[in-house]
Amino acid sequence: MPKYAKSQGEKVVRSSDISILCGIKPDVIRRDFSHFGDFGVRGRGYDIDKLIVQIRKNLGINRKKNVILIGVGSLGTALLKYQGFRTANFNFIAAFDINPKKIGKKIGETIIYNIKEVNSFIEKNKIKIALLTVPTSETIKIINNLDSKYIKGILNFTSTILPARKNNIYIRNIDLARELEVISFCMNRCNI
Ligand code: ATP
């Protein structure tokens, strides 16, 4: 969201502006940013360029990160095509699937490999992050098979809710249907 202000030609952004965009109270934003360092301009806000550099550093996205995707169905294909990952410095270096008709094909720049090759690829390219878009029934099998020596983060798009941490791997469960339920809940609560 500081980038949004930047695109409007602004040099500084206030915690109150950020608060409107992300729905977090300004004092919480100020407290959190104070952990990053001292780049606030007293009474004016935050220097946007410094803020972007610091946030990217804290998110670990100041350098390009190679990621892989497993399961190139409809959702997997859409994610591979999504430009937002590239903007955020994530590069889909490879995708993996079990379906022989898909293996060897390309989605954008990303080649689809046989799932059997996933661990040798991970090891060779020192891949730390995987996105999971396989059928729910395959989730546990795939996770248990992934080389936990290298993989340290999984973005799980299947409906199986996995523990946030497993074998020293950070897991984030993204269930798009659940996100709609949250919207529905908030609307109900506010009688919208
Ligand atoms: P499709 O395009 O094949 O109809 P879909 O969009 O309906 O897929 P799913 O059935 O959820 O979605 O499958 C997602 C993808 O996961 C498919 O491309 C499928 O071939 C792949 N897949 C299924 N099992 C595995 C597995 N064990 N390892 C890797 N990929 C798998």
Side-chain angles (χ1 to χ4, degrees):
M1 81 308 283
K3 216 171 175 187
Y4 174 79
K6 188 181 161 83
S7 68
Q8 306 286 306
E10 305 286 345
K11 294 268 179 278
V12 290
V13 65
R14 290 170 188 276
S15 51
S16 52
D17 302 328
I18 300 172
S19 168
I20 294 167
L21 288 172
C22 63
I24 296 171
K25 287 186 183 148
D27 53 327
V28 176
I29 291 170
R30 284 195 294 275
R31 190 200 59 202
D32 288 355
F33 284 1
S34 71
H35 294 292
F36 291 175
D38 186 18
F39 43 85
V41 184
R42 215 177 181 76
R44 285 184 59 212
Y46 297 93
D47 181 306
I48 293 173
D49 286 333
K50 286 185 187 166
L51 187 58
I52 290 173
V53 168
Q54 203 56 39
I55 288 176
R56 285 184 161 260
K57 208 166 141 193
N58 277 268
L59 293 177
I61 56 167
N62 45 341
R63 267 176 291 139
K64 191 150 92 175
K65 275 198 165 65
N66 286 328
V67 301
I68 58 165
L69 179 137
I70 304 175
V72 195
S74 317
L75 181 57
T77 303
L79 293 175
L80 288 172
K81 287 181 178 172
Y82 176 54
Q83 290 298 320
F85 288 118
R86 228 153 270 133
T87 314
N89 254 351
F90 292 102
N91 172 46
F92 283 110
I93 188 173
F96 295 85
D97 206 285
I98 203 168
N99 185 341
K101 287 188 187 142
K102 297 187 181 184
I103 294 163
K105 297 232 165 84
K106 256 180 156 186
I107 306 286
E109 293 298 303
T110 313
I111 298 174
I112 306 171
Y113 296 95
N114 191 327
I115 187 67
K116 284 184 187 159
E117 297 168 41
V118 71
N119 279 330
S120 56
F121 188 96
I122 286 170
E123 195 174 327
K124 189 171 163 214
N125 295 282
K126 310 220 168 354
I127 303 297
K128 290 187 176 163
I129 300 177
L131 282 77
L132 213 58
T133 45
V134 289
T136 298
S137 55
E138 298 295 303
T139 315
I140 301 292
K141 193 175 82 187
I142 300 262
I143 299 253
N144 287 341
N145 180 49
L146 280 181
D147 191 341
S148 59
K149 193 169 145 219
Y150 291 95
I151 290 289
K152 296 294 167 213
I154 291 176
L155 200 52
N156 170 32
F157 284 90
T158 76
S159 307
T160 309
I161 302 176
L162 299 163
R165 211 156 168 187
K166 191 174 193 286
N167 302 338
N168 233 6
I169 300 177
Y170 287 99
I171 301 175
R172 218 171 141 77
N173 302 297
I174 312 273
D175 186 328
L176 297 174
R178 218 178 311 131
E179 297 300 322
L180 263 186
E181 285 170 10
V182 172
I183 290 276
S184 173
F185 167 77
C186 295
M187 287 163 67
N188 271 347
R189 199 181 48 175
C190 303
N191 285 325
I192 295 175

